[in-house]
Amino acid sequence: MIKQIKTKQEDAIFLPLNPEIAQEESDRIVHSRFMRHLQHVPSSKMEIKILSSIQFTADMLDYSDAHVAKILVDMGLRAPRMAFPVEFLEFADSSLMRSGWEVGGPTPSLIALKNHWDRIGEDRFSTFNRQYSLLDEDIYTRC
């Protein structure tokens, strides 16, 4: 079962409510800590509450933010891009750039998340908006 929440911008946010679909005990622990912390975040924006809860859960369990976000997305979390950590967005964007049969390709939950983003009006080309760090080309020579 998935709970739907409407924010002021009428963007749909779906929270995972059914940890029985989790196959591992660690996934159930991630879900319970996430949902418990979500109630205590002092913010009126649901996106900020989700991001804060993901980061808190990752810190408590010594996981990466992206791993916790991936577990929750696999369990049914659907929210705007603003609600996810940068590491997860980089993973999702690079995965969605590949074909489904390639190694590292998108999982069904990532495809569903992308469809959700398209439905709520997120930037369809955000996958292509990549920033690459440039090397500083100052060369020092000894004389």
Side-chain angles (χ1 to χ4, degrees), residues 19 21-33 61 63 67 71-72 74-75:
I21 63 172
Q23 297 188 4
E24 296 184 21
E25 184 64 28
S26 63
D27 293 354
R28 289 188 191 113
I29 292 170
V30 166
H31 179 269
S32 65
R33 295 232 177 160
L61 298 175
Y63 290 163
H67 182 68
I71 290 171
L72 293 169
D74 288 343
M75 297 175 90

Side-chain angles (χ1 to χ4, degrees), residues 37-90:
H37 188 264
L38 192 65
Q39 300 169 359
H40 299 292
V41 177
S43 178
S44 61
K45 291 194 70 149
M46 194 61 184
E47 294 90 352
I48 302 300
K49 289 179 131 186
I50 291 170
L51 179 61
S52 176
S53 297
I54 288 172
Q55 292 172 337
F56 174 81
T57 304
D59 289 342
M60 290 300 293
L61 298 175
D62 198 28
Y63 290 163
S64 70
D65 295 348
H67 182 68
V68 170
K70 172 77 169 85
I71 290 171
L72 293 169
V73 165
D74 288 343
M75 297 175 90
L77 177 64
R78 303 291 180 264
R81 291 178 66 91
M82 183 177 157
F84 292 101
V86 173
E87 298 88 13
F88 175 76
L89 293 175
E90 289 173 355

